[in-house]
Amino acid sequence: MLREINFDGIVGPSHNYAGLSPGNLAATRSAGAVSRPRAAALQGIAKMRANLRLGLLQGVLLPHPRPDRRWLDKLSVGYEQAPPHLRAQALSASAMWAANAATVSPAPDTADGRCHLTVANLLTMPHRSHEWPETLAQLRLAFAHPAFAVHPPVPAPFGDEGAANHLRLAAAYDAPGVELFVYGERGGPFPARQHRDASEAVARAHRLDPARTLFVRQSQAAIAAGAFHNDVVAVANGSVLFAHEQAFEQRDEVHADLRRLMPEAAVVEVPADRVSLADAVSSYLFNAQLVTVPDGTMTLIVPGETRDHQRVWAWLTGMLAGDGPIRRVEVVDVRESMANGGGPACLRLRVVADPATIDPRFLVDEARLDRIADVVATHWPEAIEADAIGDPDLLARIEGAHAALLHGLDLVELTDK
Ligand code: SUG
């Protein structure tokens, strides 16, 4: 039976604030701050536990080996000799944001009845551009069953940032869906990370029905306001699209196309005069997990920052008092990730599949999360100061922590990928 499984990126031991992502206002604001890798990873684990308690299925993707010495080799430099910007780029724990790992098209949407995944190339930002080989290795292992087709990334120069710019609406998980690919154009001083050519290439690779596939332009205003990925202003689940009024450049057409393809679709739209784009970006209201729990209640899992934001919380409270399709709000604390611009939705990759077809080492229950939490508590650095990233002791600790996790999860074979 097809179910939705959320694969969360485990926050890696090198999690730090290097200010590497122009256009991501939180990351820019945090540049130079002291990070707390252990707390960050434990917050992510607590979110996964909360989701298990809601009755959801949960998986994990692993942190990548950092620093990425293979990438530095290609640049003909060792970590110790590398200039500071390359060091920071090689050390980044950015693979934790699993929504950028790949784009996923579930089996009911594809011509060959397989679930297709295309690894994102993430080439707009140097520190993210070297994630894909390790992500591809992990996905090939986790989704080795013939029920899946795992594709390599779209080639340069067409930027692709994966599921963060992709929305799927479907009446049921086993029903054919409507897939929306959201691409960007430069917004103010900020680059668009998702190129239309990349989205179209992914849709072709996934053998989607062109009649049920929409290519939608993200609004320039949203990018300029700091929505560097569409998942900062919109999220979908089942037949519901939850979006900011200014998420899309051609809002009316998007709504009309959606209703034409899926008459039962419901759009829960937040008007700009209640919650501005700036409010949405600072609170991450839309970077929420929108999920259907086993009793059918549609639930929005939001970061704690929404509760600290008066207008946003007032809007959420009003929504619950009404009779819309989203009936429940759950708050999670992912503060460490948020400070780098990654909310609850950034941390997870959604896959709709039969859980029996997935390598069980990538699926977690409470006991397996206990195992991960033990490794984190023992090996993850408590804090990383901005000027510590050249410290050999810190590097040894980070590399040792990564190895300990692979051992703990019986995934040492990833070391050689
Ligand atoms: O790509 N931050 C990530 C945040 C990604 C959030 N993902 C989604 N919206 N799906 C990014 O900008 C900051 C790293 C640093 O600056 O140290 C960073 O890469």
Side-chain angles (χ1 to χ4, degrees):
M1 193 177 100
L2 299 188
R3 298 274 309 269
E4 175 174 299
I5 306 139
N6 285 280
F7 289 81
D8 278 45
I10 299 172
V11 180
S14 70
H15 160 65
N16 73 100
Y17 299 121
L20 299 175
S21 280
N24 172 342
L25 305 183
T28 302
R29 204 168 37 240
S30 299
V34 179
S35 68
R36 307 213 164 269
R38 194 183 304 165
L42 293 176
Q43 286 165 6
I45 292 167
K47 170 167 99 75
M48 289 191 252
R49 290 193 199 278
N51 285 355
L52 284 177
R53 285 196 295 270
L54 287 175
L56 303 172
L57 294 182
Q58 186 67 52
V60 288
L61 291 174
L62 274 69
H64 293 186
R66 292 290 176 265
D68 191 340
R69 296 184 188 274
R70 289 183 191 192
W71 181 65
L72 290 173
D73 274 354
K74 288 188 195 138
L75 293 165
S76 305
V77 72
Y79 188 80
E80 289 66 30
Q81 295 76 39
H85 67 284
L86 289 186
R87 277 190 185 183
Q89 289 162 4
L91 196 66
S92 175
S94 52
M96 65 201 256
W97 297 296
N100 305 118
T103 306
V104 185
S105 295
D109 299 358
T110 69
D112 62 0
R114 291 196 289 170
C115 173
H116 287 249
L117 298 93
T118 294
V119 177
N121 61 28
L122 289 160
L123 56 80
T124 305
M125 301 288 160
H127 69 291
R128 305 214 62 181
S129 67
H130 56 97
E131 286 175 28
W132 72 262
E134 168 74 18
T135 305
L136 184 57
Q138 291 194 29
L139 296 181
R140 287 207 162 133
L141 206 54
F143 305 107
H145 190 279
F148 299 96
V150 179
H151 303 277
V154 171
F158 309 111
D160 175 29
E161 306 247 334
N165 297 306
H166 177 252
L167 300 159
R168 174 178 191 247
L169 288 95
Y173 290 125
D174 56 2
V178 174
E179 298 200 15
L180 280 79
F181 289 79
V182 187
Y183 63 94
E185 305 276 332
R186 171 173 286 277
F190 302 135
R193 300 204 207 176
Q194 184 72 37
H195 298 184
R196 181 172 176 137
D197 282 309
S199 297
E200 290 182 352
V202 172
R204 284 191 293 269
H206 291 192
R207 305 188 57 187
L208 298 179
D209 178 356
R212 299 182 66 77
T213 306
L214 298 173
F215 297 95
V216 170
R217 185 168 151 201
Q218 192 184 1
S219 84
Q220 275 177 283
I223 295 175
F228 53 94
H229 290 136
N230 174 67
D231 68 3
V232 174
V233 282
V235 61
N237 174 58
S239 46
V240 175
L241 171 65
F242 176 51
H244 190 270
E245 183 184 357
Q246 291 166 293
F248 309 116
E249 196 67 43
Q250 268 121 16
R251 165 196 176 276
D252 296 349
E253 275 148 60
V254 176
H255 292 191
D257 283 344
L258 193 55
R259 292 218 169 85
R260 176 173 56 78
L261 293 173
M262 203 177 160
E264 69 272 45
V267 181
V268 177
E269 187 178 71
V270 181
D273 62 6
R274 293 287 309 279
V275 172
S276 67
L277 278 174
D279 294 339
V281 170
S282 66
S283 67
Y284 264 39
L285 165 63
F286 297 94
N287 200 264
Q289 287 185 248
L290 187 57
V291 293
T292 305
V293 300
D295 72 4
T297 308
M298 201 174 291
T299 303
L300 191 69
I301 301 166
V302 294
E305 284 73 0
T306 54
R307 202 166 36 192
D308 304 335
H309 196 295
Q310 204 210 322
R311 282 186 298 279
V312 167
W313 195 248
W315 192 87
L316 277 173
T317 315
M319 175 189 79
L320 287 178
D323 61 356
I326 303 173
R327 299 303 332 133
R328 177 168 167 188
V329 171
E330 292 286 324
V331 179
V332 292
D333 173 10
V334 287
R335 203 164 296 270
E336 282 285 321
S337 168
M338 284 285 287
N340 250 339
C346 298
L347 286 163
R348 62 91 177 94
L349 181 69
R350 277 193 286 194
V351 176
V352 173
D354 177 350
T357 58
I358 295 167
D359 186 320
R361 291 173 297 176
F362 290 88
L363 298 174
V364 290
D365 54 12
E366 288 281 1
R368 211 158 158 80
L369 287 176
D370 287 345
R371 235 206 269 182
I372 299 171
D374 280 347
V375 177
V376 167
T378 312
H379 296 278
W380 260 230
E382 194 173 344
I384 299 182
E385 315 237 358
D387 58 5
I389 70 165
D391 175 359
D393 290 344
L394 175 68
L395 285 196
R397 176 122 204 224
I398 288 169
E399 295 189 300
H402 181 256
L405 184 66
L406 294 191
H407 275 101
L409 293 179
D410 305 318
L411 280 164
V412 271
E413 64 202 272
L414 279 171
T415 316
D416 307 318
K417 294 281 171 180

